[in-house]
Amino acid sequence: MTAPLKSCKTAADGLQLLNVSKTFDQTEVLHDIDLTVAPGEVLALVGPSGAGKTTLCRIIAGLETPSSGQCYMNGTDMTAMPPGDRRVAMMFESYALYPHLSVGDNVRSPLLARAKGGLPPTAGQHIEQLLAVLEIAHLSDRLPSELSGGQKQRTALARALIQNPNALLLDEPISHLDAKLRHKLRGEIRQILNARPHPTIWSTPDGLEGLSVGDRIAVLIAGRIEQIGTPEDIWLRPASVKVARLFGDPPMNILPGELQDGQGRIDFHCRSMTMTLPPALAASAKAIKGRAAFLGLRPNGLTLHRGDDQSAIATTVYSIESFGKYAIVTLITPPGDLIKLKTADVQDLKLGDDVGVRYASDQLLLFDGTTGRAAYVYS
Amino acid sequence: MEQKSSIGLGLRTAAAVICALIVLFPVLWMVAMVFKPADVMFARPTVFFYTPTLANFAYVIEQGFVNNLITSLALGIFSTILVVIIGTPAAYSFARFELKAKEDLFLFILASRMAPPVCLVIPFYLIYAKVGLLDTFVGLSLAYMTFNLSFYVWVLRSFCRDLPVELEEAAILEGWSKAQVFRRIVFPLLRNGIVATSVLCFIFAWNEFLFAFMLGGDSVQPLPVAIPKLITAQGVRWGEVAVVGVVSLIPVLAVVVLLQRHIVRGLTMGAVKG
Amino acid sequence: MITLVLVSLVPFIYAVYLSFHQAKYGRVTDFIWFDNYVTLLTSGTFWNSMYVAGVFVLIAVPVEFMLGMAGALVLNKGVWGRSILVPLLFIPTMMAPIVVGLLWKIMLAGSWGVLSYNIIERFDLVSGTSIFASERYALLALVFIDIWQWTPFMMLAFFAGLQALPQGPYRAAAVDGASQMQIFARLTLPLMAPLLFVIGLLRFIDAFKIFDTIFILTKGGPGTTTESPSLLAYKMTFEFWNIGEASALAVFVWIIFFAVCTVFYHIAKKKLNAF
C-alpha cells in the first residue's frame, strides 16, 4: 500500500490552505496563501485592517470561494464543500447575534440546526455549563440588545464553541472592547482554547494581542503572508520591515539609510548622520547586495545618555508621553528622523534637551533597503 | 433664557395647532356632515348647530353599500396577500443577490410605478376584454399588483438592506438550510417591515379609483366607485356621500395611528428611515 | 420575480404595440408606424394638457416644498403635543384622492359649501356659481387642493429627515458661532439634499400624473382648462375610443418618466448617495 500522492503535500490533521488566492473585481485581496493549523493549535492572524484577514476567514468558512487554491480539513479537500457541511465555526467581528433570540436561544441555535429529530437530552446541561464557564449563565433569557459589549462577545463565543467544530475562526474577537476588558478576555479565552482539540485561527490587527494568544503567528499584509512563526521568531527575527513595524509598543524604530564600507567596519549613513554598525551585524550587512538598507532599533533596546559619548546618537527631545511607571520619549535626530524609546527615567528631561541614545547591539536589526526583507546571518 | 424658550415653545405650538386645524377642518366638516339632517344641509347662511340624525346611514345601507364595503375590504386584502407572497422573496433577492441587469430592471419597475395609472389602464382594459377578466375579482386584484408589487418590492428591499448579511451567514455556518435561514432569521426580523409595507399596499388598493372604475363594474364594485350611485335624479345625496367618505377614512385613520413611523419611509420609497 | 416583470412589462409592451396601430372603437387594424405619435404631437389638446400639468406641477410642488420645510423646522424646534399632532397631519396624505375630491366639492360646492358661501361669496372673490366652473380659477383651485393634501406630508417627511440628522456637526457649528441662517444653508440643506431630491422627484411625478381629483371635480373642464395628460388619455380612450392615439400618449408620458427617473436615479446615486 502506498499512501495517496496528495498526502505528501497535505497534512493529515488540522486545517490547511494551499496556494489560496482571491480576486475581487480585478483587485487581488489574497495572494498565494499557504497555511497550516494543527489540531489544538491557535494561529494568530495578525495584519493591519484591510490586509485580507476577514476574507481569509470567510474562505475557510466557505462564505467566499477562492479564485484559486484549495482548503483541506483533516486531509480532505473541502474547497467545493458548502459552508453548512464544513462544521467550521466562525465568530464574526460584529458578533452577528440574532437580535430576536435570547442569549440561550442564540447558543442553542447551532445545536438545533444539526440535531435530527430533536436535541439530545444532555444538550441543555451542556449549554448551561458553557454559559457558566463564560460567566453569562445569568443572562440566558436576555436579548442581545440588552447586553454590554463584553457580554455580547461572550455570547458569540459560546455560540461558536458549543458547536465542537472542526475548526474555529475568531475574526477580531476582542477588538471592539475596551482595553481593560481586552486584557482580561484574551487570557480567559486562550485558557478555554487550551482544552480544545480543534485548530483555531484568531485574527487581530494588534501585534501584541497576536503574540500573547498565538502558538504561532501568521503576519498578513496587503494580501500576502509576510511571515509565519512562533511569537519568539516574530519578535526577535521579523522577516521584513513591514512585520517589524506591526509589533511592539511603541513599534520598532526604522531608519532608512545606506551602508558604506569603512576600514574594517561598516557604517550606516542615515542622511547626514553616520553610525558604525556593531560587529555582530557586519556579517548580515554583507548579505545586502544593494547599498540601501533599513536599520531597526527596538524601543526597549535603547537607553538615554546625557553627556558626551562618541558611540551614542545625538538627538533632541521632541515629546514625552508619561504613563506613570514609564514614559515613551520621542527624540529627533539632526536630519529629522524620529526615534521612540521607553524609559523609566524622565525626571529632569525637558523638551528640547540634547541627549544621546545608546543602543544595545543585540537589539539592532538590518533590512534590505530595496526589498524590505530582513538580512540575518545566523552564526 | 428658560422663560424665553418656553414662550417660543408656546408660540410654535399655537402656530402648529392653527395649521393643523386648517388642514383638518375639511375632514372634520365632512365627519360632521354625516349626522347633518337633509333640511339644513344646503342652508344659507351655513347652519353650524343642528340635531344629529342617523338618516344618512340608513339610506347608505339601503343602497347596498355594505356590499361595496365588503368588496373593497376583500379586494384590498386579497391583492395585498398576493403582493406579499410574490414580493417578499423578490425584494429579498433584489437586496441580496447579484443579478444581471439588476439596476435596469429595477429602474423599469420604478418607472412602471411612476407611470400614470391611465397609461396602464388602457392595455389592461383591452387585454381583460379579450380574456374575460373584466369585472372580475381576480382581474382587479391582478391589476392592483402592477402598482403595489413594485412599490412593495422597492420599499421592502430597503428593509432587507438593513439586515446584516452576517446574521444569515452565521446561520448558514451553523448548518441551517437556506429555507430555514429565511424562516428562522430573515422572516422574523423583516416582519415589521412586511407588516408596515403591506398595510400601505392595502391602503393604496383601498383608495384606488381609476382601475376599479374602468376594470370593475357591476359585480365588482369597491367603495370609491359606488359613490356615483348617490348622484340621483333628485340631485347629489351629499349627506350620504359624506358617510361613504368617512367610512373610507376609517382604515386610513387606523393606519395613521398604528404605523406613523413607517408611513414616511413607505411614501418616500424607503429614502427616509422613520 | 418573473411575475414582477410580467406584471409591469406586459401592459407596457401591449401599449407600445397599440400605439403603432390604427386602433379605434376596440378594433385593432393596420400597422401605421408613428402616425399616432405625429397626430398626437401636432394636436393642440396634447400641448394644452402638457401646459396644464406644467402649471400644476410648477406651482404646487415648490409651494409644498417651502411650506413643508418651514413646518418641519418648526416641528423640529419642538412643539408641545407633537406626538398627537404628527399622526393627525398624515390624514390628508393617506386619504383616497377620490375622497379628497369629494371633500373639496363639499367645501366649495356651488351655493352652500361652507367655504364658498362663507368666504368666497362673502368677499366676492370669484364670480359665478362655482369655483370649479371658473375658467380662471378652476386650475388654481385644484392646485390649492393638491397643496392642502401634500404639504403636511412634505412637512412630516422633512421632519423625519431633520430628526435623523447627525448631531455632531451642529455642536461644532454652535461652537464656531454660526448663525441660524448659516447653519440652515450650510449644514441642514446639504445634509438633507438626498432626501429633498427623492421627495422632490416623487412629488413631481405624482403631481404630473394627477387624475382622480380632477376627474371627480372638473372632468377637465371648464373647456379643457384643467385637462391633465392623464385626463386627456382617459377621454381619448373611453370617450372617443381612439385607443391607438391614447396609447401613444401613454407611451410618450411613460418614456418621459423613465428618462427622468433614470437620469435622476444616476445623479442621486453618484452625487448624493441616495437610495
Side-chain angles (χ1 to χ4, degrees), chain A residues 58 94 97-98 100 109 114, chain B residues 166 169 173-174 176 184:
Chain A
R58 291 172 60 87
S94 64
L97 297 176
Y98 309 129
H100 59 303
S109 172
R114 307 221 187 255
Chain B
E166 287 178 352
E169 289 174 343
L173 287 182
E174 288 173 6
W176 297 102
R184 283 181 44 91

Side-chain angles (χ1 to χ4, degrees), chain A residues 39-40 73-74 86-91 110-111 114 126 130 157-170 193 196-200, chain B residues 173-174:
Chain A
M73 177 63 74
N74 299 332
R86 299 188 178 198
R87 301 206 59 136
V88 171
M90 178 161 171
M91 192 186 138
L111 294 181
R114 307 221 187 255
H126 197 105
L130 183 62
L157 187 65
R159 198 176 65 180
L161 290 174
I162 197 82
Q163 304 184 32
N164 274 327
N166 286 332
L168 175 63
L169 310 172
L170 305 174
L193 292 177
R196 290 273 164 168
H198 49 69
T200 301
Chain B
L173 287 182
E174 288 173 6

